[in-house]
Amino acid sequence: MNQKTNHPATTFGIVGFPLSHSLSPLIHNSIYKDKGMNAFYQVFETEEFDQNIIRELRESGVKGLSVTIPHKEKAFALADQADGPSKIMKASNTLIFEKNSVQAYNTDGDGAFRSILEWSPESLNRGKTLVLGSGGSARGIAYSLATSGKVKGLILSSRNETTGREICSLISENSFVKAVFVDPKDLLSIRDQISLVIHTTPLGMKGQSPGPFIGEEFFDSSMTVFDIVYNPLETPLVKAAKNAGAKIIPGSEMLLYQAMKQFELFTGVIPDSNDIEKTRERLSVALAKR
């Protein structure tokens, strides 16, 4: 007799808004199935995210959450304890519910860094890295890159100058990398210094303003461009960069690697290369249908 039916499945999920296009359930539920785990991952779409929602989810048996736009800063604020990247960047994309506490982690930076190492490691030290945006994803990615010891210099540009400058200060205080804020209108003047561009804003995402954040005239064939939007994979920014001959890292790679780290945090099991390859294939098939 199958003993699994005697125990309720361990429940994990994702909070954010909107979530109709989230591929996280596909990623996590497929690995649980592959590994014969009695676990289930579901969607908790919510415009608000507060202590009451966390309490309700915990009471219903949820053990961990992926957190996406627009709740990453809120997730950090609601946690009892947090990892280093979360603390410094004041944003988290993973919550684990322990018996008496909520633990926060940020796997965005890890996901982005592993994607870059996989696809274009040379872009990290050939010139400077430009991060576009100043939201939760920008924070996690900028911190991870700055503390990796691999980047030559970090430039951040965002429409919100206050949060952009705040991130630069946090990076400069907590790493050996000096981060500099540049106003979007002045980016063309520094294009020759840039070897890697990472776009972290929702511009170009399905249902959002198309952008692009910067036009085709900024890019050239010496650059690597990583737009973390993956729906669609070819955003206006990616098209502009491609037309200029830049190397492209697919946005789905960050989704893949940050989810692998989340899976490890949720289950205590480290995904192997087979898990990563299978998940990459599933993402590719799912994205091709969109």
Side-chain angles (χ1 to χ4, degrees):
M1 198 176 135
N2 188 346
Q3 284 187 303
K4 282 185 185 175
T5 55
N6 297 338
H7 303 285
T10 306
T11 305
F12 303 101
I14 180 167
V15 292
F17 189 87
L19 285 178
S20 55
H21 299 289
S22 176
L23 291 169
S24 295
L26 168 73
I27 294 173
H28 289 270
N29 284 321
S30 297
I31 304 190
Y32 301 152
K33 193 175 175 186
D34 287 346
K35 294 193 168 300
M37 291 179 167
N38 188 24
F40 181 64
Y41 185 100
Q42 61 190 100
V43 171
F44 303 108
E45 185 175 78
T46 173
E47 281 192 73
E48 298 301 316
F49 189 49
D50 55 26
Q51 210 69 58
N52 292 331
I53 289 171
I54 284 184
R55 192 183 66 249
E56 284 169 25
L57 290 170
R58 293 184 78 168
E59 285 173 358
S60 69
V62 175
K63 299 295 184 192
L65 290 173
S66 307
V67 183
T68 189
I69 291 171
H71 301 320
K72 291 180 185 183
E73 284 94 340
K74 200 70 189 279
F76 166 72
L78 290 166
D80 299 303
Q81 287 173 298
D83 66 348
S86 294
K87 278 181 191 164
I88 286 159
M89 286 302 158
K90 300 181 174 60
S92 304
N93 73 337
T94 312
L95 293 177
I96 306 289
F97 300 146
E98 306 281 0
K99 194 175 179 185
N100 298 308
S101 67
V102 177
Q103 307 284 331
Y105 300 87
N106 193 319
T107 71
D108 276 337
D110 187 73
F113 184 53
R114 285 181 67 181
S115 304
I116 296 159
L117 286 182
E118 180 83 21
W119 286 75
S120 186
E122 73 286 351
S123 66
L124 287 167
N125 51 28
R126 203 173 54 229
K128 291 180 179 173
T129 296
L130 170 64
V131 176
L132 303 174
S134 59
S137 298
R139 289 167 178 263
I141 291 168
Y143 175 74
S144 194
L145 290 174
T147 54
S148 71
K150 301 272 187 189
V151 292
K152 263 190 168 176
L154 203 59
I155 293 168
L156 190 134
S157 184
S158 63
R159 289 173 298 182
N160 187 328
E161 185 173 343
T162 307
T163 55
R165 289 193 181 279
E166 181 203 347
I167 293 172
C168 289
S169 297
L170 286 166
I171 293 293
S172 300
E173 287 161 19
N174 292 284
S175 75
F176 294 112
V177 171
K178 187 175 184 336
V180 178
F181 180 85
V182 173
D183 190 283
K185 69 178 187 307
D186 298 324
L187 283 173
L188 266 181
S189 66
I190 56 139
R191 67 191 287 272
D192 294 343
Q193 302 173 37
I194 307 300
S195 59
L196 173 63
V197 180
I198 305 171
H199 174 244
T200 72
T201 86
L203 289 176
M205 192 186 285
K206 196 167 183 175
Q208 301 276 351
S209 166
F213 193 102
I214 38 180
E216 192 174 320
E217 68 280 2
F218 180 84
F219 303 106
D220 66 41
S221 58
S222 71
M223 293 179 188
T224 294
V225 176
F226 186 14
D227 188 339
I228 70 166
V229 171
Y230 59 85
N231 185 28
L233 267 180
E234 279 225 343
T235 61
L237 185 102
V238 168
K239 283 178 183 160
K242 257 189 174 175
N243 287 343
K247 186 174 183 177
I248 306 296
I249 301 175
S252 53
E253 285 295 293
M254 170 154 158
L255 174 69
L256 165 72
Y257 280 115
Q258 66 81 22
M260 293 298 100
K261 190 67 186 171
Q262 280 184 337
F263 171 79
E264 182 185 332
L265 289 166
F266 288 157
T267 66
V269 176
I270 299 172
D272 57 31
S273 56
N274 189 38
D275 297 323
I276 292 168
E277 203 42 58
K278 272 188 177 175
T279 304
R280 184 179 277 128
E281 281 169 27
R282 284 172 183 138
L283 282 175
S284 179
V285 169
L287 287 166
K289 290 176 182 170
R290 297 196 162 180

